Amino acid sequence: QVELVESGGGLVQAGGSLRLSCAASGSIFSINAMGWFRQAPGKQRELVASITSSGNTNIADSVKGRFTISRDNAKNTVYLQMNSLKPEDTAVYYCHYQGSRVVALGTKSVEVWGQGTLVTVPS
């Protein structure tokens, strides 16, 4: 029942910026981590950045110094600020949700993917 809604993708010239947003809604009990993956044509899906509900982050080497991940726990929303975009950043970006839901004797893990949003940076 958890749903992710992504927004913010588009076409940007090299050196430009974009901010992606991902809002989680539905039967949310506890968010363990949210993040962003991307997949370019002919390549495997790769982790771009992730952040826990407490603020711990993990950033891919390829985007360190250019991308920043942040979150608003009250809104169950995660953001990816992308600066100094390069053509190699062109990909479909997927929001990822990892959380927990209540079950009879405890909790159960939940993993959900967003629909993907296309980011294009022409050469």
Side-chain angles (χ1 to χ4, degrees):
Q1 287 187 290
V2 175
E3 183 179 19
L4 304 179
V5 179
E6 301 179 26
S7 63
L11 188 151
V12 180
Q13 298 297 106
S17 299
L18 279 176
R19 189 178 79 155
L20 306 183
S21 299
C22 176
S25 63
S27 57
I28 298 172
F29 172 69
S30 179
I31 299 174
N32 295 327
M34 293 184 69
W36 295 92
F37 289 71
R38 68 184 181 186
Q39 187 166 24
K43 294 186 177 182
Q44 297 186 83
R45 187 172 299 186
E46 63 178 354
L47 174 68
V48 178
S50 64
I51 186 169
T52 68
S53 58
S54 62
N56 295 325
T57 61
N58 183 26
I59 309 295
D61 289 340
S62 60
V63 302
K64 283 183 178 178
R66 300 187 297 118
F67 291 12
T68 301
I69 189 168
S70 61
R71 83 281 186 268
D72 185 336
N73 288 339
K75 297 181 179 179
N76 294 323
T77 299
V78 65
Y79 306 93
L80 184 68
Q81 180 65 49
M82 304 184 293
N83 299 323
S84 301
L85 283 161
K86 303 176 180 179
E88 50 263 45
D89 294 319
T90 296
V92 176
Y93 285 71
Y94 297 90
C95 182
H96 181 255
Y97 167 99
Q98 183 176 314
S100 302
R101 64 180 175 88
V102 177
V103 295
L105 299 176
T107 60
K108 183 179 180 180
S109 63
V110 178
E111 186 176 10
V112 181
W113 290 94
Q115 79 280 5
T117 184
L118 178 63
V119 173
T120 302
V121 185
S123 299

